[in-house]
Amino acid sequence: MSTQKTTPTAPAGATAVPGHRRNPLLTAVRNVGIALDTAARVVFLGRDGVGY
């Protein structure tokens, strides 16, 4: 009785379902939102993120 050990190449849920692609416009909007959020945090909290 031999046991085979399989090592996954990526965690479950980390890979896209074949044939499923995100809308490029939604991806762009998400990226802009992340950039604006980061800029607001730097402005209001400072570069260290701990406030003044």
Side-chain angles (χ1 to χ4, degrees):
M1 183 163 118
S2 65
T3 356
Q4 286 185 333
K5 192 173 187 182
T6 58
T7 55
T9 57
T15 56
V17 177
H20 177 75
R21 293 182 56 138
R22 283 187 189 256
N23 185 343
L25 180 61
L26 293 179
T27 303
V29 168
R30 176 180 165 86
N31 289 340
V32 168
I34 291 171
L36 290 174
D37 178 61
T38 303
R41 288 174 189 260
V42 169
V43 167
F44 292 114
L45 297 177
R47 290 183 62 186
D48 295 331
V50 293
Y52 295 107

